[in-house]
Amino acid sequence: MKTCIYPGSFDPITYGHIDIIERASKITDKLIVAVLNNYDKHSLFTVEERLEMIKDSVKDFNNVEVESFEGLLVDYVKSKDAQLIIRGLRAVTDFEYELQMAQTNRELYKDIDTIFLLTNLKYSYVSSSAVKQVASFDGDVSKFVTPFVADKLKRKYNKHIV
Ligand code: ADP
């Protein structure tokens, strides 16, 4: 059985991520969306909140699981008995960083491969950081995230909403 890992911050999950998840789930037996619990990186949402939003977004895909992990990605991949990492590419600007990460991971664990899926043109400009910026000014994020996530963003930036 082939297991693929799709790691990321997902702060929060966008339609761009969901598109990658949907396509990746079709080319593997099991896909694990893995949220990096990175204490260094300043995140808007807690890991638990991000997991909840991803779980809601992928509930219709029956071979997709959602987990969080800490530490080195290669160690996590090994612990899942997996050998494939999925990453998305939006533009050339993503490429250099992704190439470096993929090569580093292969140096650390030679049986690992990274598969890159090109962004759906429709979502090529969508990023979690742009979504947060729009939401912080109470802009309409409905084209970028699910209604569930849009609601969480609203609550985060308007703390008086109950
Ligand atoms: P990171 O893992 O670098 O913190 P993210 O959590 O935002 O970044 O993204 C996880 C993965 O999803 C990365 O490979 C990123 O390039 C990809 N990704 C993010 N947004 C999109 C999008 N709109 N289309 C395709 N891939 C995307």
PDB file of all heavy atoms in Angstrom, residues 16 24 37 39-40 46 52 64 70 73 88 93 96 106 109 114 117 124 128 130 133 144 149 160:
ATOM      1  N   GLY A  16      -6.371  26.208  -2.604  1.00  0.00           N
ATOM      2  CA  GLY A  16      -5.161  25.750  -3.296  1.00  0.00           C
ATOM      3  C   GLY A  16      -4.664  24.445  -2.689  1.00  0.00           C
ATOM      4  O   GLY A  16      -4.346  23.485  -3.399  1.00  0.00           O
ATOM      5  N   ALA A  24      -3.818  14.600  -5.225  1.00  0.00           N
ATOM      6  CA  ALA A  24      -2.859  13.637  -4.663  1.00  0.00           C
ATOM      7  C   ALA A  24      -3.572  12.379  -4.168  1.00  0.00           C
ATOM      8  O   ALA A  24      -3.046  11.269  -4.279  1.00  0.00           O
ATOM      9  CB  ALA A  24      -2.072  14.293  -3.526  1.00  0.00           C
ATOM     10  N   ASN A  37       4.100  21.074  13.508  1.00  0.00           N
ATOM     11  CA  ASN A  37       3.997  21.779  14.776  1.00  0.00           C
ATOM     12  C   ASN A  37       5.327  22.484  15.000  1.00  0.00           C
ATOM     13  O   ASN A  37       6.247  21.937  15.592  1.00  0.00           O
ATOM     14  CB  ASN A  37       3.717  20.748  15.890  1.00  0.00           C
ATOM     15  CG  ASN A  37       3.254  21.419  17.155  1.00  0.00           C
ATOM     16  OD1 ASN A  37       3.339  22.642  17.287  1.00  0.00           O
ATOM     17  ND2 ASN A  37       2.766  20.622  18.078  1.00  0.00           N
ATOM     18  N   TYR A  39       7.356  25.403  16.536  1.00  0.00           N
ATOM     19  CA  TYR A  39       7.276  26.421  17.581  1.00  0.00           C
ATOM     20  C   TYR A  39       7.962  27.729  17.185  1.00  0.00           C
ATOM     21  O   TYR A  39       7.664  28.771  17.730  1.00  0.00           O
ATOM     22  CB  TYR A  39       7.896  25.883  18.885  1.00  0.00           C
ATOM     23  CG  TYR A  39       7.152  24.684  19.402  1.00  0.00           C
ATOM     24  CD1 TYR A  39       7.693  23.409  19.296  1.00  0.00           C
ATOM     25  CD2 TYR A  39       5.887  24.831  19.957  1.00  0.00           C
ATOM     26  CE1 TYR A  39       6.998  22.300  19.753  1.00  0.00           C
ATOM     27  CE2 TYR A  39       5.179  23.736  20.413  1.00  0.00           C
ATOM     28  CZ  TYR A  39       5.738  22.479  20.310  1.00  0.00           C
ATOM     29  OH  TYR A  39       5.041  21.397  20.745  1.00  0.00           O
ATOM     30  N   ASP A  40       8.868  27.657  16.191  1.00  0.00           N
ATOM     31  CA  ASP A  40       9.600  28.869  15.791  1.00  0.00           C
ATOM     32  C   ASP A  40       8.730  29.792  14.951  1.00  0.00           C
ATOM     33  O   ASP A  40       8.838  30.999  15.020  1.00  0.00           O
ATOM     34  CB  ASP A  40      10.826  28.509  14.922  1.00  0.00           C
ATOM     35  CG  ASP A  40      11.802  27.681  15.709  1.00  0.00           C
ATOM     36  OD1 ASP A  40      11.703  27.713  16.941  1.00  0.00           O
ATOM     37  OD2 ASP A  40      12.632  27.000  15.089  1.00  0.00           O
ATOM     38  N   THR A  46      -3.703  27.751  16.166  1.00  0.00           N
ATOM     39  CA  THR A  46      -2.999  26.682  16.883  1.00  0.00           C
ATOM     40  C   THR A  46      -3.030  25.425  16.009  1.00  0.00           C
ATOM     41  O   THR A  46      -3.827  25.330  15.064  1.00  0.00           O
ATOM     42  CB  THR A  46      -3.692  26.342  18.217  1.00  0.00           C
ATOM     43  OG1 THR A  46      -5.000  25.808  17.910  1.00  0.00           O
ATOM     44  CG2 THR A  46      -3.832  27.565  19.109  1.00  0.00           C
ATOM     45  N   GLU A  52      -8.481  20.907  12.855  1.00  0.00           N
ATOM     46  CA  GLU A  52      -9.948  20.922  12.762  1.00  0.00           C
ATOM     47  C   GLU A  52     -10.396  21.444  11.390  1.00  0.00           C
ATOM     48  O   GLU A  52     -11.290  20.868  10.754  1.00  0.00           O
ATOM     49  CB  GLU A  52     -10.508  21.825  13.882  1.00  0.00           C
ATOM     50  CG  GLU A  52     -12.019  21.777  13.985  1.00  0.00           C
ATOM     51  CD  GLU A  52     -12.588  22.894  14.871  1.00  0.00           C
ATOM     52  OE1 GLU A  52     -11.845  23.817  15.258  1.00  0.00           O
ATOM     53  OE2 GLU A  52     -13.796  22.825  15.150  1.00  0.00           O
ATOM     54  N   VAL A  64      -7.980   9.974   2.915  1.00  0.00           N
ATOM     55  CA  VAL A  64      -7.141  11.055   3.445  1.00  0.00           C
ATOM     56  C   VAL A  64      -7.242  11.116   4.977  1.00  0.00           C
ATOM     57  O   VAL A  64      -8.331  11.127   5.531  1.00  0.00           O
ATOM     58  CB  VAL A  64      -7.560  12.425   2.841  1.00  0.00           C
ATOM     59  CG1 VAL A  64      -6.746  13.560   3.434  1.00  0.00           C
ATOM     60  CG2 VAL A  64      -7.407  12.411   1.321  1.00  0.00           C
ATOM     61  N   GLU A  70       6.000  16.698  14.823  1.00  0.00           N
ATOM     62  CA  GLU A  70       7.063  17.595  15.285  1.00  0.00           C
ATOM     63  C   GLU A  70       8.386  17.052  14.802  1.00  0.00           C
ATOM     64  O   GLU A  70       8.500  15.862  14.543  1.00  0.00           O
ATOM     65  CB  GLU A  70       7.083  17.624  16.823  1.00  0.00           C
ATOM     66  CG  GLU A  70       5.970  18.443  17.403  1.00  0.00           C
ATOM     67  CD  GLU A  70       5.882  18.302  18.922  1.00  0.00           C
ATOM     68  OE1 GLU A  70       6.887  17.893  19.539  1.00  0.00           O
ATOM     69  OE2 GLU A  70       4.823  18.585  19.460  1.00  0.00           O
ATOM     70  N   LEU A  73      10.893  16.117   9.141  1.00  0.00           N
ATOM     71  CA  LEU A  73       9.898  15.497   8.268  1.00  0.00           C
ATOM     72  C   LEU A  73      10.299  14.066   7.897  1.00  0.00           C
ATOM     73  O   LEU A  73       9.460  13.156   7.912  1.00  0.00           O
ATOM     74  CB  LEU A  73       9.715  16.352   6.993  1.00  0.00           C
ATOM     75  CG  LEU A  73       8.812  15.773   5.928  1.00  0.00           C
ATOM     76  CD1 LEU A  73       7.396  15.563   6.445  1.00  0.00           C
ATOM     77  CD2 LEU A  73       8.789  16.681   4.690  1.00  0.00           C
ATOM     78  N   GLY A  88       3.206  21.241  -3.368  1.00  0.00           N
ATOM     79  CA  GLY A  88       2.592  21.974  -4.469  1.00  0.00           C
ATOM     80  C   GLY A  88       3.520  23.071  -4.950  1.00  0.00           C
ATOM     81  O   GLY A  88       4.278  23.634  -4.166  1.00  0.00           O
ATOM     82  N   THR A  93       9.107  31.077  -7.892  1.00  0.00           N
ATOM     83  CA  THR A  93       9.580  31.485  -6.564  1.00  0.00           C
ATOM     84  C   THR A  93       9.485  30.345  -5.549  1.00  0.00           C
ATOM     85  O   THR A  93      10.281  30.269  -4.627  1.00  0.00           O
ATOM     86  CB  THR A  93       8.769  32.693  -6.058  1.00  0.00           C
ATOM     87  OG1 THR A  93       7.408  32.494  -6.410  1.00  0.00           O
ATOM     88  CG2 THR A  93       9.266  33.978  -6.649  1.00  0.00           C
ATOM     89  N   GLU A  96      12.816  27.145  -5.937  1.00  0.00           N
ATOM     90  CA  GLU A  96      14.165  27.075  -5.369  1.00  0.00           C
ATOM     91  C   GLU A  96      14.155  26.480  -3.952  1.00  0.00           C
ATOM     92  O   GLU A  96      14.929  25.582  -3.630  1.00  0.00           O
ATOM     93  CB  GLU A  96      14.792  28.463  -5.352  1.00  0.00           C
ATOM     94  CG  GLU A  96      16.275  28.393  -5.507  1.00  0.00           C
ATOM     95  CD  GLU A  96      16.848  29.703  -6.001  1.00  0.00           C
ATOM     96  OE1 GLU A  96      16.178  30.410  -6.774  1.00  0.00           O
ATOM     97  OE2 GLU A  96      17.957  30.006  -5.580  1.00  0.00           O
ATOM     98  N   ARG A 106      16.325  13.945   0.741  1.00  0.00           N
ATOM     99  CA  ARG A 106      16.870  12.729   0.121  1.00  0.00           C
ATOM    100  C   ARG A 106      18.257  12.383   0.652  1.00  0.00           C
ATOM    101  O   ARG A 106      18.638  11.229   0.733  1.00  0.00           O
ATOM    102  CB  ARG A 106      16.917  12.886  -1.393  1.00  0.00           C
ATOM    103  CG  ARG A 106      15.872  12.028  -2.082  1.00  0.00           C
ATOM    104  CD  ARG A 106      15.888  12.269  -3.555  1.00  0.00           C
ATOM    105  NE  ARG A 106      16.797  11.353  -4.242  1.00  0.00           N
ATOM    106  CZ  ARG A 106      16.514  10.088  -4.520  1.00  0.00           C
ATOM    107  NH1 ARG A 106      15.356   9.580  -4.168  1.00  0.00           N
ATOM    108  NH2 ARG A 106      17.366   9.325  -5.156  1.00  0.00           N
ATOM    109  N   TYR A 109      17.518  10.757   3.971  1.00  0.00           N
ATOM    110  CA  TYR A 109      16.847   9.450   3.877  1.00  0.00           C
ATOM    111  C   TYR A 109      16.722   9.109   2.394  1.00  0.00           C
ATOM    112  O   TYR A 109      15.876   9.651   1.695  1.00  0.00           O
ATOM    113  CB  TYR A 109      15.471   9.563   4.561  1.00  0.00           C
ATOM    114  CG  TYR A 109      14.595   8.339   4.539  1.00  0.00           C
ATOM    115  CD1 TYR A 109      15.117   7.059   4.448  1.00  0.00           C
ATOM    116  CD2 TYR A 109      13.213   8.472   4.625  1.00  0.00           C
ATOM    117  CE1 TYR A 109      14.293   5.954   4.436  1.00  0.00           C
ATOM    118  CE2 TYR A 109      12.373   7.364   4.626  1.00  0.00           C
ATOM    119  CZ  TYR A 109      12.934   6.109   4.517  1.00  0.00           C
ATOM    120  OH  TYR A 109      12.109   5.013   4.500  1.00  0.00           O
ATOM    121  N   THR A 114      10.175  13.206  -3.486  1.00  0.00           N
ATOM    122  CA  THR A 114       9.152  14.257  -3.391  1.00  0.00           C
ATOM    123  C   THR A 114       8.474  14.395  -4.738  1.00  0.00           C
ATOM    124  O   THR A 114       9.144  14.487  -5.766  1.00  0.00           O
ATOM    125  CB  THR A 114       9.793  15.605  -2.989  1.00  0.00           C
ATOM    126  OG1 THR A 114      10.515  15.419  -1.767  1.00  0.00           O
ATOM    127  CG2 THR A 114       8.735  16.674  -2.787  1.00  0.00           C
ATOM    128  N   LEU A 117       3.184  18.672  -7.421  1.00  0.00           N
ATOM    129  CA  LEU A 117       1.991  18.866  -8.244  1.00  0.00           C
ATOM    130  C   LEU A 117       1.897  20.358  -8.558  1.00  0.00           C
ATOM    131  O   LEU A 117       2.012  21.196  -7.658  1.00  0.00           O
ATOM    132  CB  LEU A 117       0.737  18.394  -7.519  1.00  0.00           C
ATOM    133  CG  LEU A 117       0.637  16.888  -7.260  1.00  0.00           C
ATOM    134  CD1 LEU A 117      -0.705  16.554  -6.598  1.00  0.00           C
ATOM    135  CD2 LEU A 117       0.767  16.096  -8.554  1.00  0.00           C
ATOM    136  N   SER A 124      -3.514  29.641  -8.418  1.00  0.00           N
ATOM    137  CA  SER A 124      -2.063  29.825  -8.436  1.00  0.00           C
ATOM    138  C   SER A 124      -1.619  31.017  -7.594  1.00  0.00           C
ATOM    139  O   SER A 124      -0.479  31.090  -7.165  1.00  0.00           O
ATOM    140  CB  SER A 124      -1.574  29.980  -9.867  1.00  0.00           C
ATOM    141  OG  SER A 124      -2.229  31.067 -10.452  1.00  0.00           O
ATOM    142  N   SER A 128      -1.852  31.226   2.070  1.00  0.00           N
ATOM    143  CA  SER A 128      -2.398  31.421   3.418  1.00  0.00           C
ATOM    144  C   SER A 128      -2.113  32.835   3.910  1.00  0.00           C
ATOM    145  O   SER A 128      -2.957  33.463   4.559  1.00  0.00           O
ATOM    146  CB  SER A 128      -1.789  30.412   4.396  1.00  0.00           C
ATOM    147  OG  SER A 128      -2.068  29.105   3.986  1.00  0.00           O
ATOM    148  N   ALA A 130      -1.717  35.665   2.183  1.00  0.00           N
ATOM    149  CA  ALA A 130      -2.579  36.674   1.550  1.00  0.00           C
ATOM    150  C   ALA A 130      -4.000  36.588   2.119  1.00  0.00           C
ATOM    151  O   ALA A 130      -4.644  37.613   2.364  1.00  0.00           O
ATOM    152  CB  ALA A 130      -2.595  36.472   0.032  1.00  0.00           C
ATOM    153  N   GLN A 133      -4.141  38.304   5.385  1.00  0.00           N
ATOM    154  CA  GLN A 133      -4.100  39.758   5.232  1.00  0.00           C
ATOM    155  C   GLN A 133      -5.485  40.305   4.870  1.00  0.00           C
ATOM    156  O   GLN A 133      -5.944  41.277   5.460  1.00  0.00           O
ATOM    157  CB  GLN A 133      -3.110  40.108   4.122  1.00  0.00           C
ATOM    158  CG  GLN A 133      -2.308  41.326   4.437  1.00  0.00           C
ATOM    159  CD  GLN A 133      -1.086  41.414   3.547  1.00  0.00           C
ATOM    160  OE1 GLN A 133      -0.974  40.685   2.557  1.00  0.00           O
ATOM    161  NE2 GLN A 133      -0.185  42.298   3.878  1.00  0.00           N
ATOM    162  N   PHE A 144     -11.219  32.006  -1.575  1.00  0.00           N
ATOM    163  CA  PHE A 144      -9.937  31.376  -1.239  1.00  0.00           C
ATOM    164  C   PHE A 144     -10.042  30.228  -0.247  1.00  0.00           C
ATOM    165  O   PHE A 144      -9.202  29.339  -0.227  1.00  0.00           O
ATOM    166  CB  PHE A 144      -8.961  32.414  -0.659  1.00  0.00           C
ATOM    167  CG  PHE A 144      -8.975  33.747  -1.347  1.00  0.00           C
ATOM    168  CD1 PHE A 144      -9.111  34.931  -0.627  1.00  0.00           C
ATOM    169  CD2 PHE A 144      -8.848  33.827  -2.734  1.00  0.00           C
ATOM    170  CE1 PHE A 144      -9.125  36.164  -1.275  1.00  0.00           C
ATOM    171  CE2 PHE A 144      -8.862  35.057  -3.382  1.00  0.00           C
ATOM    172  CZ  PHE A 144      -9.003  36.230  -2.655  1.00  0.00           C
ATOM    173  N   VAL A 149     -13.694  27.686   7.193  1.00  0.00           N
ATOM    174  CA  VAL A 149     -12.431  28.389   7.473  1.00  0.00           C
ATOM    175  C   VAL A 149     -12.666  29.903   7.510  1.00  0.00           C
ATOM    176  O   VAL A 149     -12.106  30.605   8.373  1.00  0.00           O
ATOM    177  CB  VAL A 149     -11.345  28.010   6.435  1.00  0.00           C
ATOM    178  CG1 VAL A 149     -10.083  28.838   6.620  1.00  0.00           C
ATOM    179  CG2 VAL A 149     -11.014  26.520   6.527  1.00  0.00           C
ATOM    180  N   HIS A 160     -14.638  39.697  19.458  1.00  0.00           N
ATOM    181  CA  HIS A 160     -15.893  39.894  20.216  1.00  0.00           C
ATOM    182  C   HIS A 160     -17.005  38.989  19.712  1.00  0.00           C
ATOM    183  O   HIS A 160     -18.015  38.838  20.367  1.00  0.00           O
ATOM    184  CB  HIS A 160     -16.331  41.357  20.152  1.00  0.00           C
ATOM    185  CG  HIS A 160     -16.448  41.886  18.748  1.00  0.00           C
ATOM    186  ND1 HIS A 160     -15.380  42.371  18.050  1.00  0.00           N
ATOM    187  CD2 HIS A 160     -17.525  41.955  17.931  1.00  0.00           C
ATOM    188  CE1 HIS A 160     -15.788  42.746  16.862  1.00  0.00           C
ATOM    189  NE2 HIS A 160     -17.083  42.499  16.748  1.00  0.00           N
TER     190      HIS A 160
END
